[in-house]
Amino acid sequence: MSKDALLIARGFPPAHETPSIRMDEWRYWKSGNDTRVVRFDGDRVSEVID
């Protein structure tokens, strides 16, 4: 999945955790203090860490 596709599917990650969508790691909140990290290799998702 590309970064653009993830933005459409999940929306922008919180700016205080991911200050720029040019970064290779985005952090989304699942619930409470629980987060999901999405890592990229170039423009494609390479790993999702729950």
Side-chain angles (χ1 to χ4, degrees):
M1 177 179 275
S2 70
K3 286 183 177 183
D4 287 339
L6 185 59
L7 287 172
I8 291 168
R10 292 289 316 257
F12 283 86
H16 68 284
E17 288 291 336
T18 307
S20 171
I21 59 171
R22 289 187 222 135
M23 297 175 68
D24 289 331
E25 185 173 291
W26 297 1
R27 185 175 303 269
Y28 286 95
W29 295 104
K30 286 172 42 177
S31 65
N33 290 330
D34 197 12
T35 61
R36 173 173 289 146
V37 176
V38 180
R39 291 189 178 150
F40 296 91
D41 182 8
D43 185 48
R44 296 283 179 198
V45 172
S46 63
E47 183 177 16
V48 177
I49 303 167
D50 283 323

